[in-house]
């Protein structure tokens, strides 16, 4: 009898621990169900966007080899988005400005 009560207690305890972890995971997910890649309260800066989004397909050497102005970087970023790069409009603006300031 004592053993079965102990087993029930352990099962309930494990269940509670697992459920508290699930609740935390639900709170940190975005509305689409995908975990955010950055803290939800901050927007990534241009350098971080470049390092995390652009290097999915390109090396940083490829990016740094290109020298152009704001309009040129805007055209390039829009082309990359049409090829599948994922950036919000706010991230696009931040990235283009960073590229234009850094790689002129």
């Amino acid at each position: 009898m004592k053993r079965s009560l102990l087993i029930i207690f352990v099962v309930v305890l494990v269940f509670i621990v697992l459920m508290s972890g699930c609740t935390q995971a639900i709170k940190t997910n975005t509305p689409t169900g995908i975990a955010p890649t950055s803290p939800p309260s901050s927007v990534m800066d241009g350098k971080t966007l470049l390092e995390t989004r652009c290097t999915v397909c390109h090396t940083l050497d490829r990016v740094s080899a290109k020298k152009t102005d704001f309009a040129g970087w805007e055209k390039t970023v829009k082309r990359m988005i049409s090829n599948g790069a994922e950036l919000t409009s706010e991230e696009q603006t931040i990235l283009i400005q960073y590229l234009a300031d850094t790689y002129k």
Side-chain angles (χ1 to χ4, degrees):
M1 180 72 173
K2 287 184 180 183
R3 185 173 184 196
S4 45
L5 284 175
L6 180 61
I7 291 172
I8 291 171
F9 176 75
V10 169
V11 168
V12 169
L13 183 62
V14 168
F15 179 76
I16 291 170
V17 169
L18 290 175
M19 289 307 295
S20 68
C22 290
T23 303
Q24 183 62 30
I26 290 169
K27 288 179 184 175
T28 59
N29 282 347
T30 60
T32 59
I34 301 170
T37 57
S38 67
S41 62
S42 67
V43 175
M44 281 193 236
D45 63 19
K47 182 178 180 188
T48 304
L49 285 168
L50 174 65
E51 292 171 349
T52 59
R53 306 291 174 80
C54 302
T55 59
V56 171
C57 298
H58 307 291
T59 64
L60 289 176
D61 291 337
R62 182 167 180 180
V63 176
S64 64
K66 183 174 176 131
K67 307 291 184 204
T68 190
D69 61 4
F70 186 93
W73 282 116
E74 184 175 35
K75 183 178 176 183
T76 299
V77 169
K78 290 193 183 296
R79 189 176 70 247
M80 294 302 106
I81 290 170
S82 72
N83 290 334
E86 295 183 9
L87 293 166
T88 66
S89 59
E90 184 179 11
E91 290 171 337
Q92 289 175 48
T93 303
I94 293 167
L95 177 61
I96 293 166
Q97 189 62 58
Y98 173 77
L99 291 168
D101 291 344
T102 308
Y103 303 103
K104 344 179 187 186

